[in-house]
Amino acid sequence: AQVEQELAAATKAATEDHFDYLNWSYNRLIDHILETHHAYVKKTIPALDQYLTKVEKVHGSYHPELSEILHLFESLSAELQAHMHKEEMVLFPYIRDLEIRKQAGTSLSEPPFGSIQNPIRMMESEHSSAGDALKTLQTLTGNYRPPEHACNTFIVSYKLLEEFEGDLHKHIHLENNILFPGAIALEKEIFLET
């Protein structure tokens, strides 16, 4: 069963790498980010927190870095949840509205946050902070290599942390390099036309 799960995950990752995100509508890209990456983060945080808490409790006296790993992950997860909430409640609906207005050829009033560049700057800063936390986690875990004597929970914790990092890198790439620049250009285009 474990091999089947790993094969399914590898197949999904390989398939996802071949998506042509640049040709997707912003609406489709947002749906993908929400359904794939936001859903993954929301599902994985509680499991990882539980595993890391257990591993730190059992092995923390021999591995003092586990306490730092747990606290760093808890901080990162709180930041990510607040970050995703802002995207889901403010930024993504505005980008969807931009795309609808462009297709319909209708005007758009200026949002309360001014230019879309303002919330995007904040999101990119938070992405950078998350990236820094991931680098520290990678260092503290020795590149996600558990010690030789590690129990199954220890091994699973590190494997899941590594998977979490990989997903977050894809997630941030889609937003920083595709969605956000496109949304900035779309907003400029709409406001130039009106």
Side-chain angles (χ1 to χ4, degrees), residues 63-74:
H63 297 280
E65 73 277 5
L66 291 172
S67 178
E68 192 175 348
I69 290 167
L70 174 61
H71 293 301
L72 184 57
F73 179 75
E74 288 173 339

Side-chain angles (χ1 to χ4, degrees), residues 13 24-25 31 49 67 89 93 100 102 108 119 121 130 133 139 142 171 181 183 185:
W24 284 11
S25 69
D31 285 343
D49 188 55
S67 178
M89 296 293 109
I100 290 167
K102 175 64 180 166
L108 183 68
R121 250 186 249 109
T139 300
H171 178 175

